[in-house]
Amino acid sequence: EVQLQASGGGLVQAGGSLRLSCVTSGLTFDDAAIAWFRQAPGKEREGLSLISTSDGRTLYADSVKGRFTISTDNAKNTVYLQMSSLKPEDTAVYYCAAVEGLVYPRLLNSLYDYWGQGTQVTVSS
């Protein structure tokens, strides 16, 4: 059984930083795409960043490019999202998601088979 556990959210002031973690189990970690999404109240889920664990390719949404960095610790089967220069509009529930064996991963909800439970990030102004 594949499980994803997201953590690391919290309350931070604008301009601050947070690091989210997504610990995976049961996943073919070296052949997966793992992504971070977020959903703010009343808004659609937004894809933020993904990493292809087989070759390290990354992809970022324009809204977070230059501020967020995705990385992996293969020994721990964990993906991180380092978030810097946070803005109030970054406030949302953040989710990690994974899919195995996808050659051309994209930041589309429908591509991902496994989802974590979400972690709340609140950025105060």
Side-chain angles (χ1 to χ4, degrees):
E1 180 186 8
V2 175
Q3 292 186 333
L4 282 67
Q5 181 76 32
S7 63
L11 174 63
V12 64
Q13 288 189 331
S17 299
L18 280 174
R19 188 179 78 160
L20 305 183
S21 300
C22 177
V23 178
T24 74
S25 60
L27 188 69
T28 307
F29 194 83
D30 59 358
D31 186 23
I34 303 175
W36 287 96
F37 291 79
R38 69 185 178 191
Q39 189 164 20
K43 295 189 176 181
E44 293 187 354
R45 190 167 294 187
E46 176 190 11
L48 304 176
S49 181
L50 67 86
I51 187 163
S52 177
T53 59
S54 61
D55 60 10
R57 283 179 295 161
T58 59
L59 184 66
Y60 295 93
D62 288 344
S63 59
V64 303
K65 198 174 294 182
R67 299 190 300 125
F68 291 9
T69 302
I70 194 168
S71 63
T72 64
D73 183 335
N74 287 11
K76 296 182 178 179
N77 290 345
T78 299
V79 175
Y80 302 100
L81 186 69
Q82 178 68 47
M83 307 186 296
S84 303
S85 302
L86 284 163
K87 307 173 183 179
E89 51 263 44
D90 293 318
T91 295
V93 178
Y94 284 66
Y95 301 88
C96 56
V99 59
E100 296 172 325
L102 190 63
V103 177
Y104 298 110
R106 292 292 182 266
L107 290 169
L108 298 174
N109 292 347
S110 58
L111 295 179
Y112 293 84
D113 295 321
Y114 309 106
W115 291 81
Q117 84 288 2
T119 185
Q120 176 70 46
V121 172
T122 303
V123 184
S124 63
S125 57

